[in-house]
Amino acid sequence: MILVIGHKNPDSDSICSALAATELLKARGLKAKPIRQGEINYETKYILKTAGVEEPELITSIAGKKVWLVDYTDLSQAPDDINQAEILGIVDHHRLGDVTTVNPLEVWIWPVGCTCTILFYLFQMEEIKITYQLAILMISAILSDTVGFASPTCTQKDRKAVQELSKIAEIEDLDAFIKMLMIAKTNIKGLSATQLVEKDLKMYLVHARNVLVAQVELAALEQADSMIQALGFDLEHRCKENDLALAVLMLTDITTNRTCLIYRGEWAFKLDKFWKKGMLVMENTLSRKKQVWPWIQAKLL
Ligand SMILES: [Mn+2]
């Protein structure tokens, strides 16, 4: 049995690509099961409901298991006992991280907008039928990760995959489909400051110190207005608890492409000269991977 597992703090791609990769392995005649490492967010719930698919089981210990990793290759995003598991395959669209293996493995890492895009081409290459349910999962993940094609991470391959998948998923009005997905994506109703920071959080290593960069996508920056102070406190607290050099939260308005940064920590002074009117605002910025993290990293080196 192969467990297919996305990253910690799972986003929609992490869940949908685990489900899709499982079907790919099954079509190859293997036994496989999708699992998840954390709670499912509001958007992913909406996608699973639309597709009529059950949530993968929550499993956070994989010692002694055979696994495929989807949507990450960083140890910090893997289950803590990953070193006792055997990694047989990886499908990802991020920079290569620090997982290592004992045996040769199958690796598909492409610089595209979404892991599900790579899986779509693998299904095509191996002439495996994509069902209606899978098409809904995959198209939703691609549109989520690329923020409806708006993200600079979006490539022609992603667009082509969406075009093909929309036929199988019987989506007649793609704009309306994207709109509903974005409403679910930016729903932060009832979430505490801590839950917001943990919604989509990544850790990076700079000069042997940990740096956290979290992101919350919003339909309007005002959605977070009443929580700015609490968010700052949460970041401060994390720096102390986990010895972080810097903790950053990106508040991204996906309708205006504007990202506002809240940041705390020992290295905060390195960003301070860009601080304007109490906020660090980055125009035309949606992507942590392609825009915010490279920018921050350059300021820290
Ligand atoms: Mn992804």
Side-chain angles (χ1 to χ4, degrees), residues 7 11 13-14 71 92-94 113-115 145 289:
H7 52 76
D11 61 0
D13 187 24
S14 208
D71 208 31
D92 189 22
H93 68 123
H94 296 89
C114 182
T115 299
D145 260 17
K289 180 166 54 186

Side-chain angles (χ1 to χ4, degrees), residues 8-165:
K8 285 180 176 161
N9 307 303
D11 61 0
S12 294
D13 187 24
S14 208
I15 298 294
C16 295
S17 58
L19 288 158
T22 297
E23 293 310 313
L24 180 85
L25 293 172
K26 283 184 180 167
R28 290 177 177 181
L30 299 164
K31 277 198 172 154
K33 175 181 161 167
I35 62 171
R36 64 185 165 93
Q37 293 193 64
E39 286 316 308
I40 286 188
N41 69 34
Y42 193 87
E43 179 199 49
T44 312
K45 282 203 174 112
Y46 167 78
I47 294 169
L48 293 174
K49 202 171 148 211
T50 307
V53 173
E54 293 281 307
E55 291 184 4
E57 190 182 334
L58 179 72
I59 293 180
T60 53
S61 174
I62 56 169
K65 307 284 186 197
K66 295 182 192 312
V67 298
W68 269 55
L69 306 184
V70 289
D71 208 31
Y72 67 109
T73 59
D74 285 309
L75 287 174
S76 67
Q77 298 187 60
D80 296 338
D81 56 7
I82 182 132
N83 287 326
Q84 296 164 59
E86 187 185 357
I87 305 171
L88 297 181
I90 294 172
V91 190
D92 189 22
H93 68 123
H94 296 89
R95 57 141 203 195
L96 182 60
D98 51 4
V99 298
T100 52
T101 64
V102 177
N103 297 313
L105 74 164
E106 180 176 342
V107 178
W108 300 95
I109 301 177
W110 296 3
V112 292
C114 182
T115 299
C116 276
T117 298
I118 306 167
L119 285 164
F120 167 78
Y121 288 99
L122 290 177
F123 273 83
Q124 281 212 324
M125 211 168 72
E126 299 183 26
E127 295 175 355
I128 299 165
K129 186 180 159 25
I130 297 174
T131 60
Y132 167 84
Q133 287 187 325
L134 264 187
I136 293 277
L137 294 175
M138 292 164 92
I139 196 172
S140 300
I142 299 169
L143 290 168
S144 171
D145 260 17
T146 63
V147 196
F149 306 126
S151 171
T153 58
C154 184
T155 67
Q156 203 47 43
K157 285 194 177 74
D158 299 296
R159 291 172 190 277
K160 180 85 197 319
V162 166
Q163 199 190 346
E164 295 299 318
L165 288 166

Side-chain angles (χ1 to χ4, degrees), residues 222-245:
E222 290 74 29
Q223 277 178 277
D225 267 359
S226 64
M227 302 184 78
I228 300 294
Q229 205 179 18
L231 291 166
F233 283 143
D234 183 88
L235 296 178
E236 240 164 70
H237 181 71
R238 276 169 206 278
C239 287
K240 285 192 196 112
E241 285 287 292
N242 308 312
D243 192 35
L244 308 175

